[in-house]
Amino acid sequence: MSRRLRTVRARAAAALVAGVAVVGLVGCTAPTSGDQSVDTGTAATSTGPAWGTSGPSGSTTGATGQATPMGAKWDWGRFTEFGPFLKSVSGGTTYYEVVWCDVEKKQGSPDWSSLDRIATRSREIGTTLMLKLRVGRCWATSGDAQYQRGSKAKTESAMPTDLGAYKAWVQAAVTRYSKLGVHEYAIENEINSASFWAGTPQQFETLARAASGEIRASDPEAKVVDAGLSSTSYGYGIADWLLKQGRDADALSAWNAYFERRIGTRGNQIVAVHTRADLETALKSEQGVRNLAYLDLMRQLAASKVTDVRQIHFYEKYSAVPTLFAYLKSHTPYGTPIQAWEVGSFDKSGATTDDATKSEEVLKTMSLVLAEGATVAVWLPLAFDPGGRNGDEPRYGLLEPDGQVRQAGRIFQAMVEASRGAKVVKISVAGMTGVGFDRGGTATAFVWSDGHAVVQLPDGGKAASVESLDKPTAGATTTLGATPQRLTLPVPTATFLKEQR
């Protein structure tokens, strides 16, 4: 390696450390007593997700006969417009929220017809369907709904008054849809929010244990998935975790970095913190206490084998992903798969407005979520909906409302194609960040640099900016910056990375 190349890499590494200090939390955290799940290593690569080695059980293969860990969530009312794109990214996953109170509006008269169509169409386009089983609020519960969301007026869930009737409904759902290829079932959704769950943590544990038993009895292949807490809950968990280690400065930095795009967008719900007292006030707030209680409950349910899978939702800036997974790995039993059922980009701050940057962030977010160990990553939403509750698009879609593919969608398609049947490899070396997909002795990598890095390409290797994926170029090196590149490699990712040290 030339002196010039070593100098460039050294400067790039220094810039990366200086500019992304919070990410460094991953490498400097010691394991907690009796917990071997925290990531303390500084290795440049990961040969696959340590917290799970496969995607959803019974995954549907795609057009090429291979599955991908990537998926998307869409509005089924616009299925016709989205069909061509969905077929192009087949082999992945999606989810649907099924509510007992909607299916069985009149006691004893369930109507499964809408969900039947969704399950059947999912199979037809080569997508594995996962289900969120929710109670809702109706005759099956006590009290009136306090919250209604969206055009479908979805309500919070409450504890069923008859647990036996609830078990029977779960059994019916799992028995019916396991025959249509559904083998993953989440119990409720974002229960840390009162708008989704009106019960207590103790009531939810009772509900989860009841549902878990019925799911497994009804389908031996089934996996039980936890409730999937809101993206914001993890900011509270990360800060609390660091404070308890006496790492006050790291906790403050992590909070402000994680909520970079939330602070100031919801009044005083999430505020910047400057002192330990500021942070403790946030953590001791009503929502803070609730978030921490349910985060701990998700850990307990996994540890006691009530649930098989840890589900996460993430809508923050991509740079927060490594810190999030450092926290998750210290609070999730080793061997428990982590699945990201909801991944997106929530940004009302106005910091990112141009499509090119937003498209690049789709790639960076998905790359990091997979590289850090998620076995499933579902982008939400598939398409922008100007008539929806986020008409100004704080969550970025891959498609236009009419199904036209955006640059982000083309990037997504390229990542899906590379990931089908591939082994996921984390890339973090010599100022270079990203993910590699190994398949058949070759690899495709999606990489970028937060500084400036010159990368050695093996003979036959090609590089293409994600802005022009159809125009790859060959050469001895390529220079990385903030705009990601796709590298087509004639060797496995590990072999390629050895040349970068």
Side-chain angles (χ1 to χ4, degrees), residues 119-200:
T120 300
R121 286 178 172 178
S122 296
R123 286 171 62 88
E124 290 173 351
I125 60 173
T127 296
T128 296
L129 179 65
M130 308 180 293
L131 292 178
K132 293 183 179 182
L133 302 177
R134 297 190 61 240
V135 175
R137 205 153 196 177
C138 60
W139 60 265
T141 67
S142 61
D144 297 323
Q146 301 300 305
Y147 300 89
Q148 291 189 345
R149 303 181 312 281
S151 59
K152 296 181 180 179
K154 290 187 177 182
T155 71
E156 73 275 19
S157 288
M159 192 68 183
T161 55
D162 183 346
L163 202 57
Y166 171 71
K167 288 181 179 179
W169 179 76
V170 171
Q171 180 188 52
V174 176
T175 300
R176 189 181 192 92
Y177 294 105
S178 63
K179 297 174 183 177
L180 291 175
V182 180
H183 299 290
E184 296 216 18
Y185 300 88
I187 305 167
E188 294 297 327
N189 178 66
E190 296 193 358
I191 54 174
N192 62 298
S193 170
S195 64
F196 280 100
W197 176 243
T200 65

Side-chain angles (χ1 to χ4, degrees), residues 6 116 131 139 152 192 195 235 238 274 343 355 409 440:
R6 285 195 297 270
D116 286 349
L131 292 178
W139 60 265
K152 296 181 180 179
N192 62 298
S195 64
I238 292 165
H274 306 287
V343 182
D355 283 345

Side-chain angles (χ1 to χ4, degrees), residues 464-479:
S465 167
V466 294
E467 296 175 349
S468 55
L469 288 170
D470 58 342
K471 298 178 181 178
T473 59
T477 65
T478 188
T479 301

